Amino acid sequence: MKVWIDQDLCTGDGICVEIAPDVFALLDDGLAYVKEGGNILSEPGGVQGLAPVPDGKEDGVIESAEECPGECIFIEI
Ligand code: SF4
C-alpha cells in the first residue's frame, strides 16, 4: 500500500495526524503531508510525496482517508 495527499484540498484539521501520526504530519503551512521514515515529503508534496505505508499502519491510513474532510488522502495498492 502507498499513500499521498493532495495539499490543494487539505483543510489542515489534522484528523489524519491524530489517527496515524506515524504516517502523516502537519507542517507550519497548516497542511498535512506524508512521512517516509523520518522524512516529511513536503517538497513538493502532492503525488510526488507518494510513499509506502509502514507495515501495520494500513488500517490507520484507510481510516484517515475515510475521515478526511478534504477527501484528499489517496491510497494506491
Ligand atoms: S484529514 Fe485530510 S484534510 Fe485533514 S489534515 Fe489530513 S489530509 Fe488534510
Side-chain angles (χ1 to χ4, degrees):
M1 177 189 288
K2 295 183 178 181
V3 65
W4 64 283
I5 293 175
D6 184 346
Q7 281 80 27
D8 288 343
L9 301 174
C10 176
T11 69
D13 54 81
I15 291 173
C16 57
V17 180
E18 289 180 25
I19 296 173
D22 293 330
V23 180
F24 303 114
L26 266 183
L27 292 188
D28 290 344
D29 61 6
L31 303 173
Y33 294 86
V34 175
K35 295 201 280 192
E36 182 175 19
N39 298 322
I40 299 174
L41 305 180
S42 59
E43 296 180 4
V47 71
Q48 307 284 349
L50 178 72
V53 175
D55 288 345
K57 304 301 179 184
E58 294 89 348
D59 287 351
V61 169
I62 292 169
E63 182 181 353
S64 296
E66 290 174 346
E67 298 295 329
C68 173
E71 299 184 353
C72 56
I73 297 174
F74 295 95
I75 294 169
E76 299 189 9
I77 303 298

